[in-house]
Amino acid sequence: MRDRDATQSASVETDFLAETDEIISLYDESFHLTECSAKYRQIYGGDSLIGTTLWRVYPELLAPLTKSAVELVLANGFPRKIEVANDKTADQRTLIVFRSPRGLGVVETNGNAILRGTDSQAENEQTLLFYQATHDVLTGLPNRRRFSDQLRGVLTASNVKFALMQIDLDDFKPVNDTLGHSAGDMVLKMAAERIRSVLGEQEFAYRLAGDEFAIIQRRNAQPEEAERLAEDLVHAFKEPFMVEGLSVFVGASVGVAVAPTDGNEFELLMKAADIALYAAKEDGRRRARRFNRSMLTVLEQRETLRRSLRTALKDEQFFIEYQPLVQAPFSIVGFEALLRWRHPLMGVIPPGLFIPIAETDGLMSDIGQWALEQSCREAMTWPPHFTVAVNLSSAEFLHAGLTDRVAQTLDLVGLRADQLELEITESVLLERTINNLDTLNTLKTLGVQISLDDFGTHYSSLSYLKNFPFDTIKIDQYFIKDLEVDYKSRTIVRSIIALAHGLGMSVTAEGVETAEQAAWLNKNACDRLQGYFLSKPMPAERIGAFLGRFTPPVPFGNFPIRKPMRPLDPERM
């Protein structure tokens, strides 16, 4: 498709040059003359000039200001009118410099007219067609077709070192979803301006699609120059965008590939930059990463997992382990169901690795339904006052018909609704607002318990705590792991417990791994504890034996807390 578009563009260009009586010349990105009109040949000597440079034809453009203006046209795609004087004749000339499908175009006129003659309007429209066909309407940047042509062109040039950068905006989707597409368009325009603001000579930006941008950097000092520019790009997005009086934070992730080291063909270089961009996002976003071969290995492993994941449910490779929920001071009140995947060759795959893949590929709904039904069936064999806590991924929560599926599963298995506890994370609630509350309220009407998982580690929207009565708040293990020595963690955990109890909610602490942590939480009225200190997750067949012999590991209510080495101990505050 790209080749056909390029052929059509070149055909329009050739026909136009053959028919016009204007002085028009076309140059490639290295400013070498490639084609010209008949009038141009008559004035400047014809075919003998093909292959010469723009600077030889128009030496007046070598002045610092005019040369910068020409390079800016090549960089950002906006046409410029430049007034020059012929050094020999002192005649005043106007040069219209614009982006052509394969580089740069120049229309030479006298005075202020863009094109002379009775058909100047039609010919002017034909000239502007070059610009419109190769540029993005919203941002003014060269578009994907222009990018493809120029990347292929620079790859064929000999002894040219350059870098390719893929740029993806972080947290752009919520802007469109919450503020509307007009606000999204404003952000895209401002993003394009920020990208332009850090570009120097021989650095060219493009808008590929949506919130995807690219840069071709033609500098010899690679990869140093590429790494510098990539960091400048990330830094340019540190400040918020002002949209309709609101501060909107949209960052940038950048993937960098350097030619010919990382690839000397179009598809290879594109793949390298894309892999580096993926690595930047996986590392936390809002950062730049340069391609290396180890990234390719990680991607290949991920693709292997993706292919295997499609048959894992059918081949019964998933299983569930259960970790007890202990009510202070020491009684078991239920278990959390933890989904696992045993790959036939790679062993047990961590949920944090395969669940995002399943969500992206649209598999999580079926996998989650299996986990829900399996957990409920197992819970039917437990004491009737026990609960089973099942995690809902964002893909499941936002899937249409979730509440019907939960109700049907409970009816099918025969489990009481109040024995099922569904855990959702704070990040899930950001995707939608009204529908989220409708879903939560419907589940509550069914009698299902709802827990807000990983509280405090994402966005902590207090409005949801006000508008929806969660049954439980689960404190993330990030705040539990250093309770013994960090007064800030203790202050935060105390505040969460007080907040939850004040709103009529219970509190569960995850990741309890020491007797000291358990003692402190018990002392501060945390309702339930969960973690390796009490028990590791176990397969379903071991639960019966575990319940028969369970006793508290130690009388953890009696353990003291180690004081941090601080001049003033906030523990006493």
Side-chain angles (χ1 to χ4, degrees):
M1 186 65 180
R2 294 192 188 100
D3 292 340
R4 185 174 68 184
D5 289 343
T7 301
Q8 290 175 344
S9 179
S11 176
V12 171
E13 183 180 281
T14 301
D15 292 344
F16 176 54
L17 290 173
E19 295 172 1
T20 184
D21 62 353
E22 299 300 325
I23 308 171
I24 299 177
S25 50
L26 300 176
Y27 305 82
D28 62 21
E29 289 191 358
S30 60
F31 303 107
H32 284 83
L33 182 67
T34 58
E35 292 191 67
C36 56
S37 65
K39 186 69 171 180
Y40 180 97
R41 295 174 190 272
Q42 177 184 341
I43 294 176
Y44 289 103
D47 294 336
S48 62
L49 285 179
I50 295 296
T52 193
T53 66
L54 171 69
W55 318 117
R56 181 179 174 187
V57 178
Y58 297 110
E60 305 94 332
L61 294 179
L62 281 171
L65 289 178
T66 53
K67 186 178 180 182
S68 296
V70 171
E71 290 175 340
L72 191 60
V73 172
L74 197 59
N76 64 26
F78 290 118
R80 297 287 295 271
K81 181 165 69 173
I82 302 174
E83 303 287 345
V84 298
N86 190 308
D87 291 338
K88 296 181 180 179
T89 65
D91 293 339
Q92 197 73 19
R93 292 180 294 174
T94 299
L95 304 180
I96 306 298
V97 184
F98 61 95
R99 289 292 291 269
S100 73
R102 287 177 289 184
L104 202 68
V106 177
V107 180
E108 178 184 337
T109 71
N110 292 324
N112 295 322
I114 294 179
L115 292 173
R116 300 188 306 275
T118 57
D119 294 328
S120 60
Q121 182 176 355
E123 291 184 345
N124 181 30
E125 292 175 354
Q126 189 78 358
T127 302
L128 292 179
L129 177 64
F130 298 153
Y131 176 82
Q132 294 170 347
T134 58
H135 287 74
D136 173 52
V137 175
L138 180 66
T139 64
L141 291 175
N143 59 19
R144 179 180 288 274
R145 190 174 85 177
R146 184 67 185 148
F147 165 76
S148 298
D149 290 342
Q150 294 193 328
L151 180 58
R152 294 181 193 279
V154 73
L155 279 167
T156 59
S158 60
N159 299 322
V160 175
K161 291 183 178 180
F162 73 97
L164 169 64
M165 301 179 197
Q166 298 254 38
I167 306 167
D168 201 43
L169 301 188
D170 299 319
D171 298 320
F172 175 74
K173 185 177 182 296
V175 175
N176 263 345
D177 291 345
T178 59
L179 300 181
H181 290 286
S182 60
D185 287 347
M186 291 176 62
V187 170
L188 289 172
K189 290 180 182 178
M190 291 186 284
E193 287 301 321
R194 291 196 184 183
I195 292 172
R196 287 191 187 102
S197 70
V198 300
L199 298 180
E201 293 184 2
Q202 297 299 302
E203 295 171 347
F204 313 107
Y206 311 81
R207 184 188 178 199
L208 303 185
D211 60 343
E212 301 173 17
F213 298 82
I215 288 176
I216 297 176
Q217 181 194 51
R218 300 178 62 168
R219 297 284 186 89
N220 287 327
Q222 298 294 357
E224 294 80 11
E225 285 291 337
E227 292 170 351
R228 173 199 57 78
L229 177 57
E231 291 300 326
D232 288 347
L233 286 165
V234 172
H235 184 75
F237 284 81
K238 294 291 186 182
E239 295 298 318
F241 295 90
M242 293 302 299
V243 180
E244 299 175 356
L246 298 175
S247 295
V248 176
F249 287 88
V250 174
S253 294
V254 185
V256 181
V258 176
T261 307
D262 300 330
N264 56 5
E265 296 179 2
F266 183 91
E267 297 298 338
L268 289 176
L269 201 61
M270 287 288 290
K271 182 178 180 180
D274 193 53
I275 291 172
L277 175 60
Y278 172 80
K281 287 188 168 293
E282 285 293 292
D283 287 348
R285 304 187 301 174
R286 298 174 186 265
R287 64 195 65 210
R289 289 290 180 266
R290 188 196 159 196
F291 173 78
N292 60 61
R293 297 297 168 184
S294 64
M295 292 178 182
L296 185 58
T297 301
V298 171
L299 185 66
E300 289 171 347
Q301 291 174 344
R302 184 179 177 87
E303 289 304 311
T304 299
L305 289 180
R306 172 172 278 115
R307 290 190 295 269
S308 300
L309 195 56
R310 293 192 172 276
T311 61
L313 188 58
K314 178 176 65 70
D315 294 342
E316 300 181 349
Q317 295 172 6
F318 291 110
F319 65 100
I320 297 175
E321 290 187 324
Y322 298 88
Q323 188 170 39
L325 298 166
V326 179
Q327 181 173 293
F330 54 77
S331 60
I332 295 177
V333 293
F335 292 84
E336 179 178 0
L338 302 170
L339 181 64
R340 302 288 190 252
W341 176 24
R342 183 178 287 107
H343 190 279
L345 299 178
M346 303 173 68
V348 177
I349 308 297
L353 184 58
F354 73 80
I355 287 179
I357 300 175
E359 289 182 328
T360 301
D361 288 4
L363 303 174
M364 201 58 223
S365 180
D366 290 339
I367 296 173
Q369 175 59 31
W370 175 87
L372 175 64
E373 183 175 333
Q374 185 73 10
S375 302
C376 289
R377 289 189 185 279
E378 188 59 43
M380 288 292 294
T381 67
W382 303 343
H385 65 281
F386 276 21
T387 61
V388 58
V390 180
N391 291 277
L392 283 181
S393 73
S394 57
E396 291 177 89
F397 185 80
L398 299 175
H399 191 275
L402 169 67
T403 54
D404 291 337
R405 288 170 49 208
V406 171
Q408 291 167 7
T409 300
L410 291 172
D411 289 341
L412 176 67
V413 174
L415 188 72
R416 296 196 324 270
D418 63 347
Q419 289 181 267
L420 175 63
E421 180 178 336
L422 295 177
E423 297 187 2
I424 62 173
T425 61
E426 294 172 294
S427 58
V428 170
L429 301 178
L430 289 181
E431 296 295 328
R432 297 200 300 238
T433 53
I434 296 176
N435 289 344
N436 285 345
L437 288 175
D438 288 344
T439 299
L440 292 172
N441 282 313
T442 302
L443 291 171
K444 190 72 172 176
T445 301
L446 290 175
V448 174
Q449 298 185 58
I450 307 295
S451 292
L452 186 57
D453 198 9
D454 300 339
F455 185 80
T457 58
H458 295 283
Y459 301 91
S460 301
S461 177
L462 296 181
S463 64
Y464 273 101
L465 296 183
K466 176 182 177 182
N467 294 321
F468 181 79
F470 290 96
D471 296 283
T472 302
I473 291 177
K474 298 193 73 173
I475 306 175
D476 188 79
Q477 60 185 341
Y478 173 78
F479 300 107
I480 305 300
K481 64 182 180 181
D482 52 7
L483 274 178
E484 304 101 312
V485 295
D486 184 21
Y487 79 94
K488 292 182 179 179
S489 290
R490 292 200 296 274
T491 301
I492 291 171
V493 172
R494 280 197 196 97
S495 299
I496 295 174
I497 293 173
L499 174 65
H501 288 171
L503 295 172
M505 305 172 189
S506 65
V507 181
T508 299
E510 297 181 295
V512 180
E513 297 186 351
T514 69
E516 289 87 351
Q517 293 168 357
W520 190 92
L521 291 163
N522 184 42
K523 176 184 174 182
N524 284 271
C526 184
D527 301 290
R528 298 190 306 186
L529 310 180
Q530 179 183 356
Y532 277 25
F533 171 67
L534 301 163
S535 173
K536 294 182 178 180
M538 67 191 75
E541 56 269 21
R542 286 179 47 196
I543 290 179
F546 173 79
L547 292 176
R549 59 178 170 77
F550 175 78
T551 56
V554 290
F556 52 79
N558 298 325
F559 273 78
I561 299 297
R562 294 196 302 268
K563 303 296 182 181
M565 299 298 293
R566 297 176 58 86
L568 177 61
D569 182 14
E571 176 73 13
R572 294 177 296 176
M573 296 175 62

PDB file of all heavy atoms in Angstrom, residues 389-405:
ATOM      1  N   ALA A 389     -12.213 -15.047  48.732  1.00  0.00           N
ATOM      2  CA  ALA A 389     -11.927 -13.769  48.067  1.00  0.00           C
ATOM      3  C   ALA A 389     -11.340 -14.038  46.691  1.00  0.00           C
ATOM      4  O   ALA A 389     -10.340 -14.753  46.566  1.00  0.00           O
ATOM      5  CB  ALA A 389     -10.955 -12.940  48.911  1.00  0.00           C
ATOM      6  N   VAL A 390     -11.968 -13.486  45.651  1.00  0.00           N
ATOM      7  CA  VAL A 390     -11.561 -13.709  44.266  1.00  0.00           C
ATOM      8  C   VAL A 390     -11.223 -12.364  43.639  1.00  0.00           C
ATOM      9  O   VAL A 390     -12.009 -11.407  43.731  1.00  0.00           O
ATOM     10  CB  VAL A 390     -12.670 -14.407  43.459  1.00  0.00           C
ATOM     11  CG1 VAL A 390     -12.227 -14.626  42.013  1.00  0.00           C
ATOM     12  CG2 VAL A 390     -13.051 -15.733  44.115  1.00  0.00           C
ATOM     13  N   ASN A 391     -10.063 -12.284  43.013  1.00  0.00           N
ATOM     14  CA  ASN A 391      -9.637 -11.035  42.378  1.00  0.00           C
ATOM     15  C   ASN A 391     -10.320 -10.849  41.027  1.00  0.00           C
ATOM     16  O   ASN A 391     -10.442 -11.792  40.246  1.00  0.00           O
ATOM     17  CB  ASN A 391      -8.122 -11.032  42.163  1.00  0.00           C
ATOM     18  CG  ASN A 391      -7.365 -10.943  43.470  1.00  0.00           C
ATOM     19  OD1 ASN A 391      -7.168  -9.865  44.013  1.00  0.00           O
ATOM     20  ND2 ASN A 391      -6.946 -12.095  43.988  1.00  0.00           N
ATOM     21  N   LEU A 392     -10.732  -9.614  40.755  1.00  0.00           N
ATOM     22  CA  LEU A 392     -11.271  -9.248  39.447  1.00  0.00           C
ATOM     23  C   LEU A 392     -10.271  -8.344  38.749  1.00  0.00           C
ATOM     24  O   LEU A 392      -9.899  -7.289  39.274  1.00  0.00           O
ATOM     25  CB  LEU A 392     -12.601  -8.499  39.596  1.00  0.00           C
ATOM     26  CG  LEU A 392     -13.868  -9.306  39.915  1.00  0.00           C
ATOM     27  CD1 LEU A 392     -15.059  -8.364  39.989  1.00  0.00           C
ATOM     28  CD2 LEU A 392     -14.107 -10.377  38.868  1.00  0.00           C
ATOM     29  N   SER A 393      -9.813  -8.718  37.573  1.00  0.00           N
ATOM     30  CA  SER A 393      -8.926  -7.850  36.796  1.00  0.00           C
ATOM     31  C   SER A 393      -9.752  -6.715  36.187  1.00  0.00           C
ATOM     32  O   SER A 393     -10.982  -6.769  36.146  1.00  0.00           O
ATOM     33  CB  SER A 393      -8.243  -8.646  35.691  1.00  0.00           C
ATOM     34  OG  SER A 393      -9.165  -8.957  34.667  1.00  0.00           O
ATOM     35  N   SER A 394      -9.053  -5.710  35.704  1.00  0.00           N
ATOM     36  CA  SER A 394      -9.754  -4.575  35.098  1.00  0.00           C
ATOM     37  C   SER A 394     -10.561  -5.017  33.886  1.00  0.00           C
ATOM     38  O   SER A 394     -11.666  -4.524  33.650  1.00  0.00           O
ATOM     39  CB  SER A 394      -8.748  -3.488  34.694  1.00  0.00           C
ATOM     40  OG  SER A 394      -7.774  -4.001  33.805  1.00  0.00           O
ATOM     41  N   ALA A 395     -10.021  -5.950  33.100  1.00  0.00           N
ATOM     42  CA  ALA A 395     -10.733  -6.431  31.918  1.00  0.00           C
ATOM     43  C   ALA A 395     -12.036  -7.117  32.299  1.00  0.00           C
ATOM     44  O   ALA A 395     -13.053  -6.969  31.621  1.00  0.00           O
ATOM     45  CB  ALA A 395      -9.845  -7.384  31.119  1.00  0.00           C
ATOM     46  N   GLU A 396     -12.034  -7.874  33.387  1.00  0.00           N
ATOM     47  CA  GLU A 396     -13.255  -8.545  33.838  1.00  0.00           C
ATOM     48  C   GLU A 396     -14.266  -7.542  34.376  1.00  0.00           C
ATOM     49  O   GLU A 396     -15.466  -7.631  34.088  1.00  0.00           O
ATOM     50  CB  GLU A 396     -12.920  -9.547  34.931  1.00  0.00           C
ATOM     51  CG  GLU A 396     -12.135 -10.760  34.495  1.00  0.00           C
ATOM     52  CD  GLU A 396     -11.816 -11.632  35.689  1.00  0.00           C
ATOM     53  OE1 GLU A 396     -12.651 -12.509  35.998  1.00  0.00           O
ATOM     54  OE2 GLU A 396     -10.769 -11.420  36.320  1.00  0.00           O
ATOM     55  N   PHE A 397     -13.784  -6.599  35.165  1.00  0.00           N
ATOM     56  CA  PHE A 397     -14.696  -5.645  35.793  1.00  0.00           C
ATOM     57  C   PHE A 397     -15.414  -4.794  34.748  1.00  0.00           C
ATOM     58  O   PHE A 397     -16.593  -4.453  34.901  1.00  0.00           O
ATOM     59  CB  PHE A 397     -13.926  -4.746  36.760  1.00  0.00           C
ATOM     60  CG  PHE A 397     -14.807  -3.820  37.547  1.00  0.00           C
ATOM     61  CD1 PHE A 397     -15.486  -4.282  38.668  1.00  0.00           C
ATOM     62  CD2 PHE A 397     -14.972  -2.505  37.174  1.00  0.00           C
ATOM     63  CE1 PHE A 397     -16.313  -3.438  39.393  1.00  0.00           C
ATOM     64  CE2 PHE A 397     -15.791  -1.653  37.892  1.00  0.00           C
ATOM     65  CZ  PHE A 397     -16.465  -2.121  39.011  1.00  0.00           C
ATOM     66  N   LEU A 398     -14.701  -4.439  33.675  1.00  0.00           N
ATOM     67  CA  LEU A 398     -15.286  -3.583  32.649  1.00  0.00           C
ATOM     68  C   LEU A 398     -16.028  -4.375  31.581  1.00  0.00           C
ATOM     69  O   LEU A 398     -16.613  -3.790  30.674  1.00  0.00           O
ATOM     70  CB  LEU A 398     -14.178  -2.736  31.989  1.00  0.00           C
ATOM     71  CG  LEU A 398     -13.431  -1.787  32.936  1.00  0.00           C
ATOM     72  CD1 LEU A 398     -12.289  -1.096  32.206  1.00  0.00           C
ATOM     73  CD2 LEU A 398     -14.389  -0.747  33.526  1.00  0.00           C
ATOM     74  N   HIS A 399     -16.001  -5.699  31.685  1.00  0.00           N
ATOM     75  CA  HIS A 399     -16.663  -6.532  30.683  1.00  0.00           C
ATOM     76  C   HIS A 399     -18.176  -6.505  30.887  1.00  0.00           C
ATOM     77  O   HIS A 399     -18.668  -6.623  32.011  1.00  0.00           O
ATOM     78  CB  HIS A 399     -16.157  -7.969  30.780  1.00  0.00           C
ATOM     79  CG  HIS A 399     -16.575  -8.833  29.635  1.00  0.00           C
ATOM     80  ND1 HIS A 399     -17.790  -9.484  29.596  1.00  0.00           N
ATOM     81  CD2 HIS A 399     -15.950  -9.153  28.477  1.00  0.00           C
ATOM     82  CE1 HIS A 399     -17.892 -10.163  28.471  1.00  0.00           C
ATOM     83  NE2 HIS A 399     -16.793  -9.981  27.777  1.00  0.00           N
ATOM     84  N   ALA A 400     -18.904  -6.337  29.794  1.00  0.00           N
ATOM     85  CA  ALA A 400     -20.355  -6.298  29.889  1.00  0.00           C
ATOM     86  C   ALA A 400     -20.882  -7.621  30.434  1.00  0.00           C
ATOM     87  O   ALA A 400     -20.407  -8.691  30.073  1.00  0.00           O
ATOM     88  CB  ALA A 400     -20.957  -6.018  28.506  1.00  0.00           C
ATOM     89  N   GLY A 401     -21.880  -7.525  31.304  1.00  0.00           N
ATOM     90  CA  GLY A 401     -22.509  -8.728  31.828  1.00  0.00           C
ATOM     91  C   GLY A 401     -21.818  -9.343  33.027  1.00  0.00           C
ATOM     92  O   GLY A 401     -22.123 -10.490  33.390  1.00  0.00           O
ATOM     93  N   LEU A 402     -20.910  -8.610  33.671  1.00  0.00           N
ATOM     94  CA  LEU A 402     -20.198  -9.168  34.829  1.00  0.00           C
ATOM     95  C   LEU A 402     -21.168  -9.574  35.937  1.00  0.00           C
ATOM     96  O   LEU A 402     -21.067 -10.672  36.496  1.00  0.00           O
ATOM     97  CB  LEU A 402     -19.185  -8.146  35.367  1.00  0.00           C
ATOM     98  CG  LEU A 402     -18.574  -8.490  36.731  1.00  0.00           C
ATOM     99  CD1 LEU A 402     -17.696  -9.731  36.629  1.00  0.00           C
ATOM    100  CD2 LEU A 402     -17.789  -7.306  37.285  1.00  0.00           C
ATOM    101  N   THR A 403     -22.104  -8.690  36.276  1.00  0.00           N
ATOM    102  CA  THR A 403     -23.003  -8.982  37.389  1.00  0.00           C
ATOM    103  C   THR A 403     -23.868 -10.211  37.104  1.00  0.00           C
ATOM    104  O   THR A 403     -24.139 -11.011  38.007  1.00  0.00           O
ATOM    105  CB  THR A 403     -23.890  -7.766  37.690  1.00  0.00           C
ATOM    106  OG1 THR A 403     -24.566  -7.358  36.486  1.00  0.00           O
ATOM    107  CG2 THR A 403     -23.037  -6.599  38.187  1.00  0.00           C
ATOM    108  N   ASP A 404     -24.301 -10.374  35.851  1.00  0.00           N
ATOM    109  CA  ASP A 404     -25.081 -11.564  35.493  1.00  0.00           C
ATOM    110  C   ASP A 404     -24.246 -12.831  35.647  1.00  0.00           C
ATOM    111  O   ASP A 404     -24.736 -13.868  36.116  1.00  0.00           O
ATOM    112  CB  ASP A 404     -25.597 -11.453  34.058  1.00  0.00           C
ATOM    113  CG  ASP A 404     -26.671 -10.380  33.913  1.00  0.00           C
ATOM    114  OD1 ASP A 404     -27.302 -10.047  34.932  1.00  0.00           O
ATOM    115  OD2 ASP A 404     -26.858  -9.892  32.789  1.00  0.00           O
ATOM    116  N   ARG A 405     -22.983 -12.764  35.256  1.00  0.00           N
ATOM    117  CA  ARG A 405     -22.105 -13.930  35.349  1.00  0.00           C
ATOM    118  C   ARG A 405     -21.891 -14.323  36.804  1.00  0.00           C
ATOM    119  O   ARG A 405     -21.884 -15.516  37.145  1.00  0.00           O
ATOM    120  CB  ARG A 405     -20.759 -13.633  34.684  1.00  0.00           C
ATOM    121  CG  ARG A 405     -20.815 -13.556  33.166  1.00  0.00           C
ATOM    122  CD  ARG A 405     -19.520 -13.020  32.597  1.00  0.00           C
ATOM    123  NE  ARG A 405     -18.372 -13.715  33.159  1.00  0.00           N
ATOM    124  CZ  ARG A 405     -17.176 -13.172  33.278  1.00  0.00           C
ATOM    125  NH1 ARG A 405     -16.974 -11.931  32.909  1.00  0.00           N
ATOM    126  NH2 ARG A 405     -16.177 -13.873  33.769  1.00  0.00           N
TER     127      ARG A 405
END
